[in-house]
């Protein structure tokens, strides 16, 4: 229980750190190296570099956050729900109704 929960949360934390570091790498490679160090047409390179950095960072962060949300929901289903509440007794599922269904229906 505790070990699998800890490992699961560490996996989510690692994804969070990974997409934060990717954003930093994109900034260093696109803005710093290719934008600020160019001596000719620096404003043009800065605008193009910023647009490229923004698009790449947005795509990585959006995909990373979507992956984190998906994995967290999956973790909740498999680690929390399946281990604690799910019992496979072989009974057919009967949904809950606020009103009593008539036998004629």
């Amino acid at each position: 229980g505790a070990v699998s929960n800890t490992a699961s949360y560490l996996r989510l934390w690692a994804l969070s750190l990974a997409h934060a570091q990717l954003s930093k790498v994109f900034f260093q490679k696109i803005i710093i190296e290719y934008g600020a160090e160019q001596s000719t047409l620096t404003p043009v390179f800065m605008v193009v570099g910023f647009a490229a950095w923004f698009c790449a960072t947005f795509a990585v962060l959006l995909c990373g956050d979507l992956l984190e949300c998906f994995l967290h929901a999956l973790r909740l289903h498999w680690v929390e729900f399946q281990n604690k509440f799910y019992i496979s007794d072989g009974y057919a599922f009967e949904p809950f109704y606020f009103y009593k269904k008539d036998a004629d229906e």
Side-chain angles (χ1 to χ4, degrees):
V3 174
S4 65
N5 286 340
T6 303
S8 183
Y9 277 112
L10 285 175
R11 191 176 311 119
L12 290 171
W13 179 61
L15 279 173
S16 176
L17 286 177
H19 80 258
Q21 287 300 316
L22 281 173
S23 176
K24 184 178 178 181
V25 167
F26 285 151
F27 182 78
Q28 289 175 342
K29 294 293 182 188
I30 294 174
I31 299 292
I32 304 293
E33 291 183 13
Y34 297 117
E37 292 182 357
Q38 300 292 334
S39 60
T40 60
L41 300 173
T42 302
V44 173
F45 283 128
M46 288 296 287
V47 169
V48 171
F50 179 77
W53 169 77
F54 180 79
C55 291
T57 301
F58 181 76
V60 166
L61 290 178
L62 182 65
C63 292
D65 285 338
L66 287 174
L67 183 64
E68 282 183 50
C69 292
F70 170 73
L71 287 177
H72 188 62
L74 191 66
R75 188 197 83 75
L76 287 174
H77 278 87
W78 286 99
V79 175
E80 300 290 337
F81 180 75
Q82 298 287 6
N83 286 344
K84 295 179 178 70
F85 303 110
Y86 180 70
I87 299 171
S88 179
D89 290 342
Y91 296 107
F93 175 73
E94 294 179 20
F96 176 77
Y97 291 104
F98 283 109
Y99 59 91
K100 181 98 170 137
K101 290 181 91 175
D102 290 335
D104 298 336
E105 291 181 20

